[in-house]
Amino acid sequence: MKIRIGILGYGNLGRGIECAVKQNDDLELAAVFTRRKPDTVKILTEGVGVYSVSNVPEFKDKIDVMILCGGSATDLPEQTPEYVKYFNVIDSFDTHANIPKHFNAVDAAAKASGNVGIISVGWDPGMFSLNRLYANAILTDGEDYTFWGKGVSQGHSDAIRRIEGVKDARQYTVPVPSALDAVRNGENPALTTRDKHTRECYVVAEEGADLDIIENEIKTMPNYFADYDTTVHFISEEELQKNHSGIPHGGFVIRCGKTGKNGENKHIIEYSLKLDSNPEFTSSVLVAYARAAYRMSQEGQSGCKTVFDVAPAYLCRESGEELRRHLL
Amino acid sequence: MKIRIGILGYGNLGRGIECAVKQNDDLELAAVFTRRKPDTVKILTEGVGVYSVSNVPEFKDKIDVMILCGGSATDLPEQTPEYVKYFNVIDSFDTHANIPKHFNAVDAAAKASGNVGIISVGWDPGMFSLNRLYANAILTDGEDYTFWGKGVSQGHSDAIRRIEGVKDARQYTVPVPSALDAVRNGENPALTTRDKHTRECYVVAEEGADLDIIENEIKTMPNYFADYDTTVHFISEEELQKNHSGIPHGGFVIRCGKTGKNGENKHIIEYSLKLDSNPEFTSSVLVAYARAAYRMSQEGQSGCKTVFDVAPAYLCRESGEELRRHLL
């Protein structure tokens, strides 16, 4: 009996989930749900239906874990507490400041229904959070550093696209190599926002647009760019398609800490990701946690969980005995 | 009420545990046990007693978690199943091939006593194992690579010391930079033992010893050195003390995997450690898992566990709410 997975929302993340499910023999895709007209959505998996979100409740006994692929701003705060009434659910809620509120809403609904909801799964929050936690638990006297990139920031790319005269744009967040080196060398540097990352923008302008005005608007945009060293490159639509159509990302979580009688010994723990496709990697994490949600639910657990609450063994298909033999 | 920690065996690891306990406000050292004469053992913590191992059973209700600091060859296979009869226990059993057998022995004894025993805690096995597991759960189609070093191998140093004419020696295991780069570039190279690591030996010879014979004996020693590119440096006793008295170590766990419709996207997950003191870092991991053992025991769990079975949140002193707010 395979674990039956549902996908709610078929964008980059939904498509990534579909591919990740195929890589795991113990999982099967049961259905895809969309807010669009179902017959306009073509999926990769033959024989699996696409349904309107209004039909979700009918699948109560046909899906073991529903993976919610909506956005954190407006979709997930409503969807996760709603759908955990019917299924075990997984989301990738990533608005760090609102996690406590989201947790409480999902926890109440999940406990009432007896299902498991695992929130904020992915790589940050997600694998990066886990590595921050493990490193903090081990090196209690130390400093944390997180760097992101090199990678495409969807939010920053969107912000550039909203500027008048901009046809399309791609923004890369890039860690500053000298800052990364100082951290790795255990120098425990104090780093400002500007010290840690630069922002590289590739912009396609409308014909006749004033490039100086666009560049200035980008570089002075509060929150998004003003606090960073930002470079703007104007390129053609063809070049954007050819060289900047991927969605790579990644980053580094580093903790430097001291041990010993007088803190005389230094230790550096580093975790890094280099990802060709941000949504496909995130999907692969979500699918592993879907397996965990199913197993925890089968054991009678319920309520809201995060990656901090999931024992690692739940993520793998193999038995505890196999894991101890091959991976420990 | 602090968690009361016992230390059994007061060598490098036991001293590291003592220092690590001091870095954690919710833990306190209750007692140290030794096979030596207790009055010959001086510890760092004032007011804490040193006792003979024969007195261990008397501390049944005075210690919450006993950390076993013996060796994997002969000590732990006997000690861990024995002492889990009295306490929750943690060990750093690191003979990978014998873990399944050790697990079963500890599990039977721990279930009978109602205590928790967490085995094979440290960094390899331990944090490296965890990172292998997480990376395998996420990237199911991929390759694993583990590199060790640069660091001192106690076993290899001891092997050199047993050669006639050798007074003292220190052996460093060093990852080959080009192999590491190939893995990081996602080239999925097939690597032999010789391709991955070199061995650097610093040897103090007895006066009048034949250095060529010693060098040849080292380089041709089966299992330890014959399969590696080994370099031997003869140095003075003073130089060994001055430049090679530390016990640094570290290493890299890297997984490269593919996702997408046709495996078209590549991802690299890398975890690395750079440690000034191998025993002190190992101790810091052991102490975090001691906290976890106590909490799991308080919840009514029992039996043998490994790092794979411990939900990350158990390792930290902070509440789930605090962890979600600050680390997720």
Side-chain angles (χ1 to χ4, degrees):
Chain A
M1 238 325 250
K2 296 190 178 191
I3 302 172
R4 298 165 301 175
I5 303 292
I7 295 174
L8 200 155
Y10 195 70
N12 283 333
L13 194 58
R15 274 190 294 273
I17 301 289
E18 187 181 15
C19 293
V21 165
K22 277 192 217 301
Q23 290 188 309
N24 288 276
D25 286 347
D26 60 329
L27 311 179
E28 68 180 359
L29 183 61
V32 171
F33 301 90
T34 178
R35 284 181 292 203
R36 291 175 272 169
K37 285 193 176 179
D39 58 8
T40 65
V41 175
K42 295 277 162 277
I43 68 170
L44 301 170
T45 315
E46 274 181 46
V48 171
V50 179
Y51 305 89
S52 161
V53 286
S54 60
N55 297 115
V56 167
E58 299 160 25
F59 284 78
K60 190 180 180 327
D61 299 315
K62 294 174 185 158
I63 286 173
D64 297 308
V65 188
M66 182 73 91
I67 303 183
L68 304 171
C69 300
S72 297
T74 54
D75 298 336
L76 297 175
E78 296 200 349
Q79 289 176 349
T80 316
E82 171 63 18
Y83 294 119
V84 82
K85 293 179 189 165
Y86 306 99
F87 316 98
N88 301 305
V89 300
I90 305 289
D91 80 22
S92 59
F93 186 81
D94 67 359
T95 312
H96 289 260
N98 296 339
I99 287 174
K101 189 179 164 201
H102 187 55
F103 182 93
N104 291 335
V106 176
D107 196 45
K111 280 183 175 143
S113 68
N115 289 317
V116 169
I118 310 183
I119 64 163
S120 301
V121 177
W123 60 274
D124 196 2
M127 298 314 296
F128 273 20
S129 322
L130 269 181
N131 277 281
R132 283 188 285 264
L133 184 149
Y134 279 117
N136 273 268
I138 297 167
L139 297 175
T140 53
D141 182 9
E143 290 289 331
D144 286 312
Y145 296 89
T146 302
F147 292 87
W148 295 272
K150 181 181 178 175
V152 172
S153 163
Q154 218 59 56
H156 287 77
S157 301
D158 290 343
I160 299 173
R161 282 190 209 102
R162 285 191 294 264
I163 294 173
E164 211 187 298
V166 171
K167 205 169 170 185
D168 204 351
R170 202 74 83 252
Q171 194 270 181
Y172 295 93
T173 305
V174 186
V176 174
S178 59
L180 201 46
D181 285 347
V183 170
R184 280 188 182 139
N185 290 339
E187 297 168 21
N188 273 10
L191 298 169
T192 63
T193 298
R194 191 177 298 274
D195 293 336
K196 288 180 69 186
H197 298 94
T198 52
R199 299 200 175 275
E200 271 181 33
C201 313
Y202 292 85
V203 181
V204 180
E206 305 274 8
E207 229 182 279
D210 186 323
L211 304 189
D212 287 343
I213 292 181
I214 292 174
E215 180 163 347
N216 187 56
E217 274 203 53
I218 294 173
K219 289 185 170 178
T220 58
M221 198 185 294
N223 303 317
Y224 285 90
F225 295 100
D227 297 335
Y228 298 86
D229 288 336
T230 301
T231 52
V232 177
H233 308 274
F234 289 98
I235 60 174
S236 68
E237 198 157 10
E238 293 69 41
E239 196 181 335
L240 191 84
Q241 288 311 317
K242 191 175 159 232
N243 297 332
H244 304 283
S245 63
I247 320 176
H249 220 312
F252 305 81
V253 173
I254 304 175
R255 186 167 174 87
C256 179
K258 290 184 263 180
T259 66
K261 198 176 161 188
N262 301 302
E264 62 275 23
N265 287 312
K266 210 178 264 183
H267 309 279
I268 294 167
I269 306 176
E270 175 171 342
Y271 179 80
S272 69
L273 296 173
K274 196 174 152 198
L275 314 174
D276 274 359
S277 165
N278 183 354
E280 285 181 11
F281 185 82
T282 301
S283 298
S284 298
V285 181
L286 287 164
V287 160
Y289 277 92
R291 177 185 291 120
Y294 174 75
R295 289 181 173 175
M296 293 167 85
S297 168
Q298 290 292 103
E299 288 182 1
Q301 299 192 49
S302 69
C304 189
K305 314 280 178 194
T306 74
V307 293
F308 295 163
D309 308 306
V310 178
Y314 284 114
L315 301 173
C316 291
R317 187 187 178 170
E318 293 77 12
S319 71
E321 207 186 322
E322 289 170 308
L323 294 176
R324 285 190 292 276
R325 188 169 303 129
H326 299 125
L327 294 176
L328 195 62
Chain B
M1 239 325 249
K2 296 190 178 192
I3 302 172
R4 299 165 302 176
I5 304 291
I7 295 174
L8 200 153
Y10 195 70
N12 283 334
L13 193 59
R15 275 190 294 273
I17 301 288
E18 187 181 17
C19 293
V21 166
K22 277 193 217 300
Q23 290 188 309
N24 289 275
D25 286 345
D26 60 329
L27 310 179
E28 67 180 1
L29 184 61
V32 170
F33 300 90
T34 178
R35 283 180 292 203
R36 291 176 272 168
K37 285 192 176 178
D39 57 9
T40 65
V41 175
K42 296 276 163 278
I43 67 169
L44 301 170
T45 314
E46 276 181 44
V48 171
V50 179
Y51 305 89
S52 160
V53 286
S54 60
N55 297 116
V56 167
E58 299 159 27
F59 285 78
K60 189 180 180 328
D61 299 315
K62 294 174 186 160
I63 286 174
D64 296 310
V65 187
M66 183 72 93
I67 302 182
L68 304 171
C69 300
S72 299
T74 54
D75 298 336
L76 297 175
E78 295 199 351
Q79 290 177 347
T80 316
E82 171 62 18
Y83 294 119
V84 80
K85 293 177 189 166
Y86 306 99
F87 316 98
N88 301 305
V89 300
I90 306 289
D91 79 23
S92 59
F93 185 81
D94 66 359
T95 313
H96 290 261
N98 296 339
I99 287 174
K101 189 178 165 203
H102 188 55
F103 182 93
N104 291 335
V106 176
D107 196 46
K111 280 185 176 143
S113 68
N115 288 317
V116 169
I118 311 184
I119 63 161
S120 301
V121 177
W123 60 274
D124 196 3
M127 299 313 297
F128 273 19
S129 323
L130 268 181
N131 277 280
R132 284 188 284 262
L133 184 149
Y134 279 118
N136 272 268
I138 296 167
L139 297 174
T140 52
D141 182 8
E143 289 291 330
D144 285 313
Y145 296 89
T146 302
F147 292 86
W148 294 273
K150 182 181 177 177
V152 172
S153 164
Q154 218 59 58
H156 288 77
S157 301
D158 289 343
I160 299 172
R161 282 189 209 102
R162 285 191 294 264
I163 295 173
E164 210 186 300
V166 170
K167 202 168 172 188
D168 204 351
R170 202 73 83 253
Q171 193 271 177
Y172 295 94
T173 305
V174 186
V176 174
S178 60
L180 201 47
D181 285 346
V183 170
R184 280 187 182 140
N185 290 338
E187 296 168 21
N188 274 9
L191 298 170
T192 63
T193 298
R194 192 178 298 273
D195 293 335
K196 287 180 70 186
H197 298 93
T198 52
R199 299 202 176 274
E200 273 181 31
C201 312
Y202 293 84
V203 181
V204 180
E206 307 274 8
E207 229 183 278
D210 185 325
L211 305 189
D212 287 343
I213 291 180
I214 293 176
E215 181 164 345
N216 187 57
E217 274 204 52
I218 295 174
K219 289 185 170 177
T220 57
M221 198 185 294
N223 303 318
Y224 285 89
F225 294 101
D227 298 334
Y228 298 84
D229 289 338
T230 301
T231 53
V232 178
H233 308 274
F234 289 98
I235 61 174
S236 68
E237 198 158 10
E238 294 68 40
E239 195 181 335
L240 191 84
Q241 288 310 318
K242 190 174 159 234
N243 298 331
H244 304 283
S245 63
I247 321 176
H249 221 312
F252 305 81
V253 173
I254 305 174
R255 186 168 174 86
C256 180
K258 290 185 265 179
T259 66
K261 199 177 160 187
N262 301 303
E264 63 274 24
N265 288 312
K266 209 179 266 185
H267 309 279
I268 294 167
I269 304 175
E270 176 171 343
Y271 179 80
S272 70
L273 296 174
K274 197 175 152 197
L275 314 175
D276 273 0
S277 164
N278 183 354
E280 287 182 8
F281 185 83
T282 301
S283 297
S284 298
V285 181
L286 287 164
V287 160
Y289 278 91
R291 179 184 290 120
Y294 175 74
R295 289 181 173 176
M296 292 167 86
S297 168
Q298 289 293 103
E299 288 182 2
Q301 298 191 50
S302 70
C304 189
K305 316 279 176 193
T306 74
V307 293
F308 296 163
D309 306 307
V310 178
Y314 285 114
L315 302 174
C316 290
R317 187 188 177 170
E318 293 79 11
S319 69
E321 207 184 325
E322 289 171 306
L323 294 176
R324 286 189 291 276
R325 189 170 302 129
H326 299 126
L327 293 176
L328 195 64

